């Protein structure tokens, strides 16, 4: 093949309508473009004749390099640079330093691969209207009220009751509910440990934006893993992350079972269900803890009032 390509081709007449190859650069391969010629066929129609073979070796088509099995479903990009893959373009900081997360010992905050930017050519753009301006307009301070607890502990009920109470007081709030977000933003995630971590990571970033907008963001999620909740706390370094722990016993939650999920989990029809065959790690230093009294969960209004009182005392609802 190489020998045939090296032999000088015999002179051939230039077909009508062809553009002659350029002779300005003799050291490079000369190429020319020839439109297809049309001639009548025996059936009366037209048929085309392909352009002549120029004797040029075509480069092989680019092939996609598949990612390892641990990253199934992704297409690997170009080889990584010879540097720490976690270093960002902004001042050489690692992704952990970028979000204010400190990695310490065995209790270090989980740093997921999705927190590492896929592009180094990104820059933060500041706008003239900042968080303080928005808070002054709303006459309140943005924060995140993160409600955590077992399924059936009353998280969604508290979130909606709290949102209504703030609304009646003229305060702007928004509820991020776990099931609701799995209908849209997180519909591609399941309930495996890595999917749960990514679910909470995304919610944490969204909640941070709501708080930056000056709203009281009420996030209602089981969020069973302590390290994931601490990652979200680290996104708000100004003390505006308020963790509310609904400390209801498994027996109480299972007896209530409003969605029938405990029954399915006990029957083995749901795997990885928190409290049954997947652990729940309670907060170690939450801002608010609401407990059951004599085996009875407090009323939604009482729980919401407890959170509102905290927000007032800390100045989040003040003009």
């Amino acid at each position: 093949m190489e020998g045939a390509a090296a032999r000088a081709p015999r002179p051939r007449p230039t077909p009508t309508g062809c553009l002659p190859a350029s002779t300005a650069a003799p050291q490079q391969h000369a190429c020319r473009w020839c439109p297809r010629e049309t001639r009548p066929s025996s059936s009366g129609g037209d048929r085309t004749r392909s352009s002549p073979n120029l004797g040029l070796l075509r480069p092989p088509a680019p092939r996609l390099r598949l990612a390892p099995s641990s990253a199934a479903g992704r297409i690997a990009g170009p080889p990584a640079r010879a540097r720490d893959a976690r270093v960002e373009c902004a001042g050489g900081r690692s992704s952990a330093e970028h979000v204010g997360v400190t990695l310490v010992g065995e209790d270090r905050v989980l740093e997921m691969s999705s927190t590492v930017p896929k592009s180094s050519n990104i820059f933060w753009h500041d706008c003239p209207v900042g968080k303080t301006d928005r808070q002054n307009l709303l006459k309140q301070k943005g924060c995140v009220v993160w409600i955590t607890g077992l399924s059936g502990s009353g998280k969604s009920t508290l979130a909606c009751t709290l949102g209504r109470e703030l609304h009646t007081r003229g305060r702007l709030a928004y509820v991020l509910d776990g099931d609701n977000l799995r209908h849209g933003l997180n519909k591609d995630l399941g309930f495996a440990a890595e999917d749960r971590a990514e679910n909470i990571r995304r919610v944490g970033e969204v909640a941070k934006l709501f708080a930056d907008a000056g709203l009281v963001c009420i996030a209602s999620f089981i969020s069973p893993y302590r390290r994931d909740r601490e990652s979200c706390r680290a996104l708000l370094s100004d003390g505006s992350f308020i963790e509310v722990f609904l400390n209801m016993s498994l027996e109480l939650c299972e007896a209530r079972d409003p969605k029938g999920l405990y029954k399915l989990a006990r029957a083995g029809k749901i795997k990885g269900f928190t409290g049954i065959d997947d652990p729940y790690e309670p907060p170690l230093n939450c801002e608010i803890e609401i407990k059951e009294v004599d085996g009875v969960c407090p009323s939604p209004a009482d729980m919401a009032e407890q959170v509102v009182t905290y927000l007032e005392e800390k100045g989040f609802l003040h003009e």
Side-chain angles (χ1 to χ4, degrees), residues 15-277:
T16 305
C18 292
L19 300 179
S22 174
T23 58
Q27 300 300 326
Q28 300 179 355
H29 290 293
C31 301
R32 62 187 179 187
W33 173 82
C34 298
R36 292 185 174 185
E37 295 181 357
T38 304
R39 62 180 181 180
S41 64
S42 58
S43 60
D46 291 339
R47 65 179 183 180
T48 57
R49 183 175 63 185
S50 302
S51 57
N53 182 6
L54 302 180
L56 299 179
L57 295 177
R58 295 181 179 180
R63 301 178 62 186
L64 296 177
R65 181 167 58 88
L66 297 181
S69 58
S70 60
R74 270 187 220 166
I75 297 178
R81 299 178 181 177
R83 53 177 292 187
D84 185 355
R86 296 183 297 170
V87 175
E88 296 183 356
C89 62
R93 296 177 296 173
S94 69
S95 56
E97 295 171 334
H98 180 68
V99 299
V101 179
T102 303
L103 306 179
V104 181
E106 296 181 355
D107 293 330
R108 63 184 179 277
V109 175
L110 175 65
E111 183 179 29
M112 291 160 285
S113 60
S114 54
T115 62
V116 180
K118 302 302 181 184
S119 173
S120 59
N121 300 316
I122 55 176
F123 303 90
W124 186 268
H125 185 82
D126 286 318
C127 296
V129 177
K131 181 178 180 179
T132 302
D133 301 305
R134 293 185 287 271
Q135 292 183 151
N136 291 337
L137 180 66
L138 297 173
K139 296 180 173 56
Q140 64 183 47
K141 295 180 180 178
C143 63
V144 174
V145 178
W146 192 280
I147 306 174
T148 177
L150 292 172
S151 176
S153 60
K155 299 181 301 299
S156 296
T157 302
L158 170 58
C160 292
T161 305
L162 176 60
R164 177 181 291 274
E165 179 63 25
L166 292 173
H167 180 77
T168 58
R169 294 174 180 237
R171 302 301 177 216
L172 191 58
Y174 193 87
V175 176
L176 297 177
D177 182 80
D179 281 3
N180 291 356
L181 264 66
R182 284 185 177 272
H183 280 83
L185 177 65
N186 296 334
K187 65 181 179 181
D188 59 325
L189 301 176
F191 290 91
E194 59 273 15
D195 282 0
R196 287 178 179 268
E198 174 61 13
N199 177 52
I200 298 304
R201 186 198 70 82
R202 294 182 190 180
V203 174
E205 292 288 351
V206 173
K208 175 185 176 182
L209 294 177
F210 274 106
D212 186 65
L215 279 69
V216 176
C217 180
I218 307 169
S220 170
F221 293 83
I222 295 176
S223 46
Y225 307 137
R226 190 178 298 122
R227 61 187 181 183
D228 296 337
R229 299 192 302 268
E230 289 303 314
S231 293
C232 295
R233 179 186 292 274
L235 293 174
L236 294 94
S237 58
D238 56 354
S240 56
F241 185 90
I242 300 107
E243 189 174 26
V244 180
F245 175 33
L246 292 188
N247 189 4
M248 308 300 163
S249 66
L250 176 62
E251 293 75 19
L252 174 62
C253 296
E254 189 169 0
R256 298 176 64 186
D257 200 9
K259 302 175 183 177
L261 299 178
Y262 283 100
K263 183 178 180 180
L264 294 175
R266 292 294 187 185
K269 297 180 180 180
I270 298 180
K271 301 297 182 182
F273 191 78
T274 303
I276 303 300
D277 56 352

Side-chain angles (χ1 to χ4, degrees), residues 1-8 55 57:
M1 185 68 182
E2 294 181 358
R7 291 196 299 267
L57 295 177

